[in-house]
Amino acid sequence: MKKLTSLIVTILLISSLALMGCGKQSSTASGQEKEGKVASAKVTYPLTINPEIPSNQKILSTGPNGETATPAATLQLSEKDVKKIKEGKFKAAISMHYAGNDFSTAIINGVKDTFEKMGIKVVAVTDAQFKPEKQISDIETIMAKKPDIIVALPVDPVATAPAFKKAAEAGVKLVFMDNVPKGFKAGKDYVSVVSSDNYGNGIFAGEIMGDELKGKGKIGVIFHDVNFFVNNQRKEAFEKTIKEKYPHIKIVAHGGIITPNDAEKVASGMLTKHKDLDGIFAIWDVPAEGTLAAARTAGKNNLVITTVDLGTNVALQIASGGNVKGLGAQLPYENGAAQALVAGYSLLGKKLDPYYVVPSMKVTKENVLKVWKMAYRQDAPEVIQKAAK
């Protein structure tokens, strides 16, 4: 990925906060992992996700198989429940689609912190680097450690299905985030799936784009060219919002990416072919960074960019009034906490619904610091706080 503007580069060099591509470790992410440990705090009961998360917010997403969403706030474990889980001395592993960015780090922290409160030992955390074959290998490595639970985000619902099936047949309780292997049935092949309201996130990104362009213009869409359920929802919701709510904004370009590193090239191609492009929606924050790099190279200083996921670089853009004007934010720490709670329910034999959802948040310059704290359970990095003033 090419360098961003000199201002951004300077800030990132000083703060060491940047994540410039898939799989590279952000020092902010690392800081969250080392300093943002909520598990060290006194445990309060019932054990649940952050009670400050809006519980009455309408959820627009449905599950991978059309399931109705159940609010993740309904997941609660009593002190008696936790004591019983601790007696089992259970082991768990986490299989990520990719790691090293703010979003994945926060999810891992949410899972690990909540498991720690439940006395569940995490024996492995793996990074598939967005490669199905790597995740299949990761699962084999994990299984050698004999976990009772695997929390996972499947990279490819088809390619990884046999590996997850083998784990399920061995008696491992599978808790999925966002995506579910093809042919799997809740309550039979896996425990449940936890997600954010990604359809709502797509709507938020569309509304911000429409309002920033004052209802007129030409835009492009950079989507994830993989059968990835939640990303499909984001794209669908964004495009529907633009077409129905902002009829004078035309989507004139589409570009698919396989990995986030493809985004800069795709965005550059869009801007070369459509020199009058007013905005681009990028499917999540790391591709949005590549889109920003392409816009700077092309001299498109007024290009409006919206996305999903509140990472360090896009948060800094929003706070400082840059090209990224806003986004739909997941609350990844709470997603991780909910996944761990689902696992706890399954160990206790408690009844579970097939699809749990943590609400999403619409992020603009006005509330970026508030949502950051809600998403990561800590204040935004100082460089973002200064930019927001």
Side-chain angles (χ1 to χ4, degrees), residues 332-377:
Y333 186 100
E334 306 309 325
N335 278 22
Q339 290 151 20
L341 290 168
V342 163
Y345 267 56
S346 70
L347 293 171
L348 293 170
K350 284 178 171 278
K351 183 179 182 298
L352 282 161
D353 292 331
Y355 181 57
Y356 289 89
V357 172
V358 176
S360 298
M361 305 294 290
K362 188 175 187 177
V363 182
T364 61
K365 183 177 174 65
E366 287 68 33
N367 70 346
V368 61
L369 298 182
K370 179 181 179 181
V371 178
W372 183 283
K373 189 166 187 176
M374 195 175 289
Y376 296 110
R377 290 203 183 186

mmCIF file of all heavy atoms in Angstrom, residues 332-377:
data_model
loop_
_atom_site.group_PDB
_atom_site.id
_atom_site.type_symbol
_atom_site.label_atom_id
_atom_site.label_comp_id
_atom_site.label_asym_id
_atom_site.label_seq_id
_atom_site.Cartn_x
_atom_site.Cartn_y
_atom_site.Cartn_z
ATOM 1 N N PRO A 332 -16.807 -4.421 18.514
ATOM 2 C CA PRO A 332 -16.138 -5.727 18.475
ATOM 3 C C PRO A 332 -15.843 -6.333 19.832
ATOM 4 O O PRO A 332 -15.919 -7.550 19.994
ATOM 5 C CB PRO A 332 -14.857 -5.451 17.681
ATOM 6 C CG PRO A 332 -14.646 -3.975 17.795
ATOM 7 C CD PRO A 332 -16.000 -3.372 17.856
ATOM 8 N N TYR A 333 -15.488 -5.501 20.825
ATOM 9 C CA TYR A 333 -15.225 -6.083 22.139
ATOM 10 C C TYR A 333 -16.476 -6.784 22.653
ATOM 11 O O TYR A 333 -16.411 -7.906 23.183
ATOM 12 C CB TYR A 333 -14.769 -5.005 23.126
ATOM 13 C CG TYR A 333 -14.337 -5.579 24.463
ATOM 14 C CD1 TYR A 333 -12.991 -5.768 24.759
ATOM 15 C CD2 TYR A 333 -15.277 -5.967 25.413
ATOM 16 C CE1 TYR A 333 -12.593 -6.325 25.976
ATOM 17 C CE2 TYR A 333 -14.891 -6.527 26.620
ATOM 18 C CZ TYR A 333 -13.554 -6.698 26.903
ATOM 19 O OH TYR A 333 -13.166 -7.265 28.093
ATOM 20 N N GLU A 334 -17.622 -6.140 22.474
ATOM 21 C CA GLU A 334 -18.875 -6.724 22.948
ATOM 22 C C GLU A 334 -19.246 -7.969 22.142
ATOM 23 O O GLU A 334 -19.846 -8.911 22.670
ATOM 24 C CB GLU A 334 -20.002 -5.695 22.900
ATOM 25 C CG GLU A 334 -19.699 -4.400 23.620
ATOM 26 C CD GLU A 334 -19.188 -4.574 25.049
ATOM 27 O OE1 GLU A 334 -19.633 -5.519 25.742
ATOM 28 O OE2 GLU A 334 -18.333 -3.771 25.472
ATOM 29 N N ASN A 335 -18.915 -7.975 20.848
ATOM 30 C CA ASN A 335 -19.113 -9.182 20.045
ATOM 31 C C ASN A 335 -18.342 -10.349 20.640
ATOM 32 O O ASN A 335 -18.856 -11.464 20.785
ATOM 33 C CB ASN A 335 -18.634 -8.959 18.604
ATOM 34 C CG ASN A 335 -19.668 -8.261 17.754
ATOM 35 O OD1 ASN A 335 -20.549 -7.593 18.274
ATOM 36 N ND2 ASN A 335 -19.556 -8.386 16.450
ATOM 37 N N GLY A 336 -17.074 -10.083 20.993
ATOM 38 C CA GLY A 336 -16.253 -11.127 21.588
ATOM 39 C C GLY A 336 -16.809 -11.597 22.916
ATOM 40 O O GLY A 336 -16.847 -12.807 23.209
ATOM 41 N N ALA A 337 -17.250 -10.645 23.737
ATOM 42 C CA ALA A 337 -17.829 -11.005 25.033
ATOM 43 C C ALA A 337 -19.076 -11.870 24.841
ATOM 44 O O ALA A 337 -19.272 -12.871 25.544
ATOM 45 C CB ALA A 337 -18.179 -9.741 25.816
ATOM 46 N N ALA A 338 -19.907 -11.507 23.858
ATOM 47 C CA ALA A 338 -21.132 -12.270 23.591
ATOM 48 C C ALA A 338 -20.807 -13.681 23.114
ATOM 49 O O ALA A 338 -21.487 -14.653 23.485
ATOM 50 C CB ALA A 338 -21.995 -11.545 22.561
ATOM 51 N N GLN A 339 -19.767 -13.825 22.308
ATOM 52 C CA GLN A 339 -19.373 -15.145 21.828
ATOM 53 C C GLN A 339 -18.945 -16.038 22.994
ATOM 54 O O GLN A 339 -19.287 -17.228 23.045
ATOM 55 C CB GLN A 339 -18.247 -15.001 20.804
ATOM 56 C CG GLN A 339 -18.701 -14.387 19.491
ATOM 57 C CD GLN A 339 -17.612 -13.620 18.775
ATOM 58 O OE1 GLN A 339 -16.427 -13.826 19.029
ATOM 59 N NE2 GLN A 339 -18.002 -12.730 17.885
ATOM 60 N N ALA A 340 -18.213 -15.457 23.928
ATOM 61 C CA ALA A 340 -17.794 -16.224 25.101
ATOM 62 C C ALA A 340 -18.999 -16.603 25.969
ATOM 63 O O ALA A 340 -19.059 -17.716 26.507
ATOM 64 C CB ALA A 340 -16.784 -15.419 25.918
ATOM 65 N N LEU A 341 -19.953 -15.696 26.098
ATOM 66 C CA LEU A 341 -21.160 -15.995 26.878
ATOM 67 C C LEU A 341 -21.964 -17.117 26.242
ATOM 68 O O LEU A 341 -22.490 -18.000 26.941
ATOM 69 C CB LEU A 341 -22.018 -14.735 27.011
ATOM 70 C CG LEU A 341 -21.440 -13.632 27.907
ATOM 71 C CD1 LEU A 341 -22.215 -12.332 27.722
ATOM 72 C CD2 LEU A 341 -21.458 -14.056 29.371
ATOM 73 N N VAL A 342 -22.060 -17.108 24.908
ATOM 74 C CA VAL A 342 -22.740 -18.191 24.189
ATOM 75 C C VAL A 342 -22.061 -19.522 24.501
ATOM 76 O O VAL A 342 -22.726 -20.537 24.758
ATOM 77 C CB VAL A 342 -22.761 -17.924 22.675
ATOM 78 C CG1 VAL A 342 -23.083 -19.192 21.891
ATOM 79 C CG2 VAL A 342 -23.779 -16.836 22.341
ATOM 80 N N ALA A 343 -20.739 -19.510 24.496
ATOM 81 C CA ALA A 343 -20.002 -20.733 24.822
ATOM 82 C C ALA A 343 -20.326 -21.197 26.237
ATOM 83 O O ALA A 343 -20.515 -22.393 26.493
ATOM 84 C CB ALA A 343 -18.498 -20.493 24.670
ATOM 85 N N GLY A 344 -20.398 -20.241 27.167
ATOM 86 C CA GLY A 344 -20.741 -20.584 28.538
ATOM 87 C C GLY A 344 -22.116 -21.215 28.652
ATOM 88 O O GLY A 344 -22.302 -22.210 29.367
ATOM 89 N N TYR A 345 -23.078 -20.643 27.940
ATOM 90 C CA TYR A 345 -24.426 -21.224 27.916
ATOM 91 C C TYR A 345 -24.376 -22.678 27.451
ATOM 92 O O TYR A 345 -25.040 -23.561 28.015
ATOM 93 C CB TYR A 345 -25.319 -20.430 26.956
ATOM 94 C CG TYR A 345 -26.124 -19.317 27.584
ATOM 95 C CD1 TYR A 345 -25.504 -18.304 28.306
ATOM 96 C CD2 TYR A 345 -27.499 -19.261 27.449
ATOM 97 C CE1 TYR A 345 -26.226 -17.270 28.867
ATOM 98 C CE2 TYR A 345 -28.246 -18.233 28.004
ATOM 99 C CZ TYR A 345 -27.605 -17.232 28.713
ATOM 100 O OH TYR A 345 -28.322 -16.204 29.271
ATOM 101 N N SER A 346 -23.609 -22.918 26.379
ATOM 102 C CA SER A 346 -23.570 -24.276 25.818
ATOM 103 C C SER A 346 -22.951 -25.262 26.798
ATOM 104 O O SER A 346 -23.386 -26.415 26.896
ATOM 105 C CB SER A 346 -22.797 -24.283 24.491
ATOM 106 O OG SER A 346 -21.412 -24.061 24.700
ATOM 107 N N LEU A 347 -21.939 -24.836 27.540
ATOM 108 C CA LEU A 347 -21.305 -25.718 28.523
ATOM 109 C C LEU A 347 -22.263 -26.075 29.659
ATOM 110 O O LEU A 347 -22.165 -27.148 30.246
ATOM 111 C CB LEU A 347 -20.050 -25.041 29.092
ATOM 112 C CG LEU A 347 -18.891 -24.852 28.105
ATOM 113 C CD1 LEU A 347 -17.812 -23.979 28.731
ATOM 114 C CD2 LEU A 347 -18.315 -26.190 27.661
ATOM 115 N N LEU A 348 -23.185 -25.166 29.935
ATOM 116 C CA LEU A 348 -24.160 -25.398 30.995
ATOM 117 C C LEU A 348 -25.426 -26.099 30.492
ATOM 118 O O LEU A 348 -26.304 -26.436 31.279
ATOM 119 C CB LEU A 348 -24.555 -24.063 31.639
ATOM 120 C CG LEU A 348 -23.461 -23.327 32.422
ATOM 121 C CD1 LEU A 348 -23.929 -21.928 32.780
ATOM 122 C CD2 LEU A 348 -23.075 -24.108 33.678
ATOM 123 N N GLY A 349 -25.511 -26.273 29.173
ATOM 124 C CA GLY A 349 -26.705 -26.884 28.605
ATOM 125 C C GLY A 349 -27.905 -25.953 28.578
ATOM 126 O O GLY A 349 -29.050 -26.399 28.477
ATOM 127 N N LYS A 350 -27.651 -24.640 28.644
ATOM 128 C CA LYS A 350 -28.736 -23.658 28.615
ATOM 129 C C LYS A 350 -29.263 -23.503 27.187
ATOM 130 O O LYS A 350 -28.519 -23.632 26.211
ATOM 131 C CB LYS A 350 -28.239 -22.295 29.111
ATOM 132 C CG LYS A 350 -28.055 -22.191 30.618
ATOM 133 C CD LYS A 350 -27.508 -20.802 30.969
ATOM 134 C CE LYS A 350 -27.514 -20.574 32.473
ATOM 135 N NZ LYS A 350 -28.830 -20.152 32.956
ATOM 136 N N LYS A 351 -30.538 -23.168 27.067
ATOM 137 C CA LYS A 351 -31.168 -22.978 25.770
ATOM 138 C C LYS A 351 -30.583 -21.741 25.071
ATOM 139 O O LYS A 351 -30.390 -20.699 25.692
ATOM 140 C CB LYS A 351 -32.674 -22.803 25.928
ATOM 141 C CG LYS A 351 -33.426 -22.676 24.613
ATOM 142 C CD LYS A 351 -34.925 -22.521 24.855
ATOM 143 C CE LYS A 351 -35.688 -22.443 23.533
ATOM 144 N NZ LYS A 351 -35.312 -21.279 22.727
ATOM 145 N N LEU A 352 -30.300 -21.898 23.787
ATOM 146 C CA LEU A 352 -29.733 -20.809 22.995
ATOM 147 C C LEU A 352 -30.535 -20.605 21.721
ATOM 148 O O LEU A 352 -31.035 -21.556 21.124
ATOM 149 C CB LEU A 352 -28.281 -21.115 22.621
ATOM 150 C CG LEU A 352 -27.231 -20.897 23.704
ATOM 151 C CD1 LEU A 352 -25.961 -21.663 23.368
ATOM 152 C CD2 LEU A 352 -26.917 -19.411 23.871
ATOM 153 N N ASP A 353 -30.639 -19.347 21.293
ATOM 154 C CA ASP A 353 -31.201 -19.040 19.984
ATOM 155 C C ASP A 353 -30.089 -19.178 18.947
ATOM 156 O O ASP A 353 -28.895 -19.156 19.280
ATOM 157 C CB ASP A 353 -31.783 -17.629 19.975
ATOM 158 C CG ASP A 353 -33.023 -17.517 20.856
ATOM 159 O OD1 ASP A 353 -33.722 -18.535 20.995
ATOM 160 O OD2 ASP A 353 -33.279 -16.428 21.399
ATOM 161 N N PRO A 354 -30.428 -19.289 17.660
ATOM 162 C CA PRO A 354 -29.393 -19.534 16.654
ATOM 163 C C PRO A 354 -28.598 -18.307 16.228
ATOM 164 O O PRO A 354 -27.538 -18.444 15.624
ATOM 165 C CB PRO A 354 -30.195 -20.079 15.464
ATOM 166 C CG PRO A 354 -31.558 -19.507 15.629
ATOM 167 C CD PRO A 354 -31.791 -19.436 17.114
ATOM 168 N N TYR A 355 -29.096 -17.092 16.567
ATOM 169 C CA TYR A 355 -28.451 -15.895 16.008
ATOM 170 C C TYR A 355 -28.570 -14.733 16.988
ATOM 171 O O TYR A 355 -29.674 -14.263 17.281
ATOM 172 C CB TYR A 355 -29.110 -15.544 14.676
ATOM 173 C CG TYR A 355 -28.559 -14.346 13.953
ATOM 174 C CD1 TYR A 355 -27.219 -14.258 13.601
ATOM 175 C CD2 TYR A 355 -29.396 -13.280 13.594
ATOM 176 C CE1 TYR A 355 -26.728 -13.156 12.917
ATOM 177 C CE2 TYR A 355 -28.914 -12.178 12.897
ATOM 178 C CZ TYR A 355 -27.580 -12.128 12.567
ATOM 179 O OH TYR A 355 -27.092 -11.036 11.888
ATOM 180 N N TYR A 356 -27.420 -14.282 17.512
ATOM 181 C CA TYR A 356 -27.384 -13.163 18.451
ATOM 182 C C TYR A 356 -26.693 -11.969 17.806
ATOM 183 O O TYR A 356 -25.705 -12.135 17.075
ATOM 184 C CB TYR A 356 -26.641 -13.558 19.730
ATOM 185 C CG TYR A 356 -27.421 -14.534 20.583
ATOM 186 C CD1 TYR A 356 -27.290 -15.918 20.385
ATOM 187 C CD2 TYR A 356 -28.295 -14.095 21.566
ATOM 188 C CE1 TYR A 356 -28.020 -16.815 21.155
ATOM 189 C CE2 TYR A 356 -29.024 -14.999 22.335
ATOM 190 C CZ TYR A 356 -28.884 -16.339 22.121
ATOM 191 O OH TYR A 356 -29.616 -17.231 22.873
ATOM 192 N N VAL A 357 -27.197 -10.783 18.099
ATOM 193 C CA VAL A 357 -26.663 -9.579 17.458
ATOM 194 C C VAL A 357 -26.372 -8.492 18.487
ATOM 195 O O VAL A 357 -27.184 -8.215 19.374
ATOM 196 C CB VAL A 357 -27.639 -9.038 16.397
ATOM 197 C CG1 VAL A 357 -27.184 -7.684 15.870
ATOM 198 C CG2 VAL A 357 -27.745 -10.024 15.237
ATOM 199 N N VAL A 358 -25.190 -7.881 18.328
ATOM 200 C CA VAL A 358 -24.807 -6.690 19.083
ATOM 201 C C VAL A 358 -25.140 -5.483 18.198
ATOM 202 O O VAL A 358 -24.790 -5.476 17.017
ATOM 203 C CB VAL A 358 -23.301 -6.703 19.405
ATOM 204 C CG1 VAL A 358 -22.888 -5.416 20.113
ATOM 205 C CG2 VAL A 358 -22.946 -7.924 20.257
ATOM 206 N N PRO A 359 -25.817 -4.464 18.725
ATOM 207 C CA PRO A 359 -26.172 -3.305 17.887
ATOM 208 C C PRO A 359 -24.943 -2.629 17.291
ATOM 209 O O PRO A 359 -23.832 -2.744 17.808
ATOM 210 C CB PRO A 359 -26.884 -2.358 18.872
ATOM 211 C CG PRO A 359 -27.319 -3.213 19.993
ATOM 212 C CD PRO A 359 -26.298 -4.309 20.100
ATOM 213 N N SER A 360 -25.164 -1.925 16.191
ATOM 214 C CA SER A 360 -24.114 -1.144 15.550
ATOM 215 C C SER A 360 -24.373 0.340 15.793
ATOM 216 O O SER A 360 -25.459 0.728 16.219
ATOM 217 C CB SER A 360 -24.080 -1.434 14.046
ATOM 218 O OG SER A 360 -23.771 -2.790 13.823
ATOM 219 N N MET A 361 -23.365 1.158 15.510
ATOM 220 C CA MET A 361 -23.467 2.587 15.778
ATOM 221 C C MET A 361 -23.090 3.396 14.541
ATOM 222 O O MET A 361 -22.162 3.048 13.813
ATOM 223 C CB MET A 361 -22.542 2.979 16.938
ATOM 224 C CG MET A 361 -22.759 2.199 18.229
ATOM 225 S SD MET A 361 -24.359 2.505 19.000
ATOM 226 C CE MET A 361 -24.129 4.199 19.548
ATOM 227 N N LYS A 362 -23.808 4.489 14.320
ATOM 228 C CA LYS A 362 -23.490 5.420 13.237
ATOM 229 C C LYS A 362 -22.444 6.406 13.755
ATOM 230 O O LYS A 362 -22.641 7.050 14.785
ATOM 231 C CB LYS A 362 -24.757 6.164 12.814
ATOM 232 C CG LYS A 362 -24.611 7.031 11.569
ATOM 233 C CD LYS A 362 -25.975 7.607 11.212
ATOM 234 C CE LYS A 362 -25.958 8.339 9.887
ATOM 235 N NZ LYS A 362 -27.333 8.822 9.531
ATOM 236 N N VAL A 363 -21.315 6.521 13.046
ATOM 237 C CA VAL A 363 -20.195 7.324 13.530
ATOM 238 C C VAL A 363 -19.926 8.503 12.609
ATOM 239 O O VAL A 363 -19.759 8.346 11.398
ATOM 240 C CB VAL A 363 -18.911 6.478 13.641
ATOM 241 C CG1 VAL A 363 -17.764 7.322 14.192
ATOM 242 C CG2 VAL A 363 -19.139 5.263 14.528
ATOM 243 N N THR A 364 -19.882 9.696 13.196
ATOM 244 C CA THR A 364 -19.476 10.913 12.500
ATOM 245 C C THR A 364 -18.489 11.647 13.404
ATOM 246 O O THR A 364 -18.188 11.190 14.517
ATOM 247 C CB THR A 364 -20.691 11.817 12.211
ATOM 248 O OG1 THR A 364 -21.301 12.188 13.456
ATOM 249 C CG2 THR A 364 -21.718 11.103 11.331
ATOM 250 N N LYS A 365 -18.021 12.779 12.956
ATOM 251 C CA LYS A 365 -17.065 13.559 13.747
ATOM 252 C C LYS A 365 -17.623 13.898 15.131
ATOM 253 O O LYS A 365 -16.896 13.919 16.120
ATOM 254 C CB LYS A 365 -16.704 14.852 13.003
ATOM 255 C CG LYS A 365 -15.654 15.716 13.694
ATOM 256 C CD LYS A 365 -15.316 16.932 12.850
ATOM 257 C CE LYS A 365 -14.386 17.887 13.596
ATOM 258 N NZ LYS A 365 -13.068 17.317 13.866
ATOM 259 N N GLU A 366 -18.939 14.104 15.194
ATOM 260 C CA GLU A 366 -19.565 14.542 16.444
ATOM 261 C C GLU A 366 -19.508 13.473 17.549
ATOM 262 O O GLU A 366 -19.476 13.808 18.724
ATOM 263 C CB GLU A 366 -21.026 14.936 16.195
ATOM 264 C CG GLU A 366 -21.213 16.247 15.453
ATOM 265 C CD GLU A 366 -20.752 16.184 14.001
ATOM 266 O OE1 GLU A 366 -20.879 15.086 13.384
ATOM 267 O OE2 GLU A 366 -20.253 17.215 13.479
ATOM 268 N N ASN A 367 -19.503 12.196 17.187
ATOM 269 C CA ASN A 367 -19.558 11.168 18.239
ATOM 270 C C ASN A 367 -18.452 10.132 18.151
ATOM 271 O O ASN A 367 -18.524 9.083 18.789
ATOM 272 C CB ASN A 367 -20.921 10.469 18.214
ATOM 273 C CG ASN A 367 -21.118 9.576 16.991
ATOM 274 O OD1 ASN A 367 -20.364 9.645 16.023
ATOM 275 N ND2 ASN A 367 -22.135 8.733 17.019
ATOM 276 N N VAL A 368 -17.408 10.395 17.355
ATOM 277 C CA VAL A 368 -16.378 9.385 17.130
ATOM 278 C C VAL A 368 -15.693 8.960 18.436
ATOM 279 O O VAL A 368 -15.403 7.774 18.645
ATOM 280 C CB VAL A 368 -15.338 9.865 16.085
ATOM 281 C CG1 VAL A 368 -14.610 11.110 16.527
ATOM 282 C CG2 VAL A 368 -14.362 8.741 15.748
ATOM 283 N N LEU A 369 -15.452 9.902 19.350
ATOM 284 C CA LEU A 369 -14.776 9.553 20.599
ATOM 285 C C LEU A 369 -15.680 8.713 21.501
ATOM 286 O O LEU A 369 -15.223 7.758 22.141
ATOM 287 C CB LEU A 369 -14.340 10.825 21.339
ATOM 288 C CG LEU A 369 -13.336 11.722 20.609
ATOM 289 C CD1 LEU A 369 -12.957 12.912 21.480
ATOM 290 C CD2 LEU A 369 -12.086 10.942 20.207
ATOM 291 N N LYS A 370 -16.951 9.055 21.531
ATOM 292 C CA LYS A 370 -17.909 8.301 22.344
ATOM 293 C C LYS A 370 -18.048 6.868 21.859
ATOM 294 O O LYS A 370 -18.032 5.921 22.655
ATOM 295 C CB LYS A 370 -19.265 9.000 22.315
ATOM 296 C CG LYS A 370 -20.338 8.279 23.101
ATOM 297 C CD LYS A 370 -21.671 9.012 23.015
ATOM 298 C CE LYS A 370 -22.761 8.269 23.776
ATOM 299 N NZ LYS A 370 -24.074 8.969 23.679
ATOM 300 N N VAL A 371 -18.173 6.713 20.536
ATOM 301 C CA VAL A 371 -18.343 5.359 20.001
ATOM 302 C C VAL A 371 -17.055 4.559 20.152
ATOM 303 O O VAL A 371 -17.095 3.346 20.405
ATOM 304 C CB VAL A 371 -18.808 5.394 18.534
ATOM 305 C CG1 VAL A 371 -18.941 3.977 17.983
ATOM 306 C CG2 VAL A 371 -20.153 6.116 18.414
ATOM 307 N N TRP A 372 -15.896 5.191 19.993
ATOM 308 C CA TRP A 372 -14.632 4.477 20.191
ATOM 309 C C TRP A 372 -14.592 3.838 21.587
ATOM 310 O O TRP A 372 -14.253 2.664 21.736
ATOM 311 C CB TRP A 372 -13.437 5.414 20.024
ATOM 312 C CG TRP A 372 -12.130 4.691 20.154
ATOM 313 C CD1 TRP A 372 -11.523 4.273 21.306
ATOM 314 C CD2 TRP A 372 -11.295 4.227 19.091
ATOM 315 N NE1 TRP A 372 -10.354 3.601 21.036
ATOM 316 C CE2 TRP A 372 -10.195 3.564 19.681
ATOM 317 C CE3 TRP A 372 -11.351 4.333 17.700
ATOM 318 C CZ2 TRP A 372 -9.178 2.996 18.934
ATOM 319 C CZ3 TRP A 372 -10.320 3.769 16.945
ATOM 320 C CH2 TRP A 372 -9.262 3.108 17.555
ATOM 321 N N LYS A 373 -14.964 4.618 22.597
ATOM 322 C CA LYS A 373 -14.929 4.092 23.959
ATOM 323 C C LYS A 373 -15.928 2.949 24.122
ATOM 324 O O LYS A 373 -15.648 1.969 24.823
ATOM 325 C CB LYS A 373 -15.233 5.211 24.958
ATOM 326 C CG LYS A 373 -15.010 4.803 26.403
ATOM 327 C CD LYS A 373 -14.997 6.001 27.331
ATOM 328 C CE LYS A 373 -14.610 5.580 28.738
ATOM 329 N NZ LYS A 373 -14.500 6.744 29.648
ATOM 330 N N MET A 374 -17.059 3.052 23.454
ATOM 331 C CA MET A 374 -18.062 2.000 23.527
ATOM 332 C C MET A 374 -17.578 0.736 22.812
ATOM 333 O O MET A 374 -17.826 -0.382 23.247
ATOM 334 C CB MET A 374 -19.366 2.499 22.895
ATOM 335 C CG MET A 374 -20.590 1.659 23.201
ATOM 336 S SD MET A 374 -22.098 2.423 22.541
ATOM 337 C CE MET A 374 -22.257 3.803 23.666
ATOM 338 N N ALA A 375 -16.865 0.933 21.698
ATOM 339 C CA ALA A 375 -16.411 -0.204 20.896
ATOM 340 C C ALA A 375 -15.244 -0.939 21.533
ATOM 341 O O ALA A 375 -15.156 -2.171 21.438
ATOM 342 C CB ALA A 375 -16.010 0.272 19.500
ATOM 343 N N TYR A 376 -14.340 -0.198 22.184
ATOM 344 C CA TYR A 376 -13.107 -0.804 22.677
ATOM 345 C C TYR A 376 -12.978 -0.810 24.200
ATOM 346 O O TYR A 376 -11.994 -1.296 24.746
ATOM 347 C CB TYR A 376 -11.898 -0.087 22.071
ATOM 348 C CG TYR A 376 -11.820 -0.249 20.574
ATOM 349 C CD1 TYR A 376 -12.060 0.836 19.722
ATOM 350 C CD2 TYR A 376 -11.544 -1.477 20.000
ATOM 351 C CE1 TYR A 376 -12.008 0.675 18.340
ATOM 352 C CE2 TYR A 376 -11.482 -1.642 18.631
ATOM 353 C CZ TYR A 376 -11.718 -0.556 17.808
ATOM 354 O OH TYR A 376 -11.672 -0.718 16.445
ATOM 355 N N ARG A 377 -13.966 -0.226 24.900
ATOM 356 C CA ARG A 377 -13.952 -0.133 26.361
ATOM 357 C C ARG A 377 -12.735 0.617 26.882
ATOM 358 O O ARG A 377 -12.213 0.322 27.960
ATOM 359 C CB ARG A 377 -14.038 -1.518 27.003
ATOM 360 C CG ARG A 377 -15.388 -2.185 26.832
ATOM 361 C CD ARG A 377 -15.609 -3.237 27.905
ATOM 362 N NE ARG A 377 -16.863 -3.955 27.732
ATOM 363 C CZ ARG A 377 -17.323 -4.844 28.601
ATOM 364 N NH1 ARG A 377 -16.632 -5.113 29.694
ATOM 365 N NH2 ARG A 377 -18.463 -5.465 28.390
#
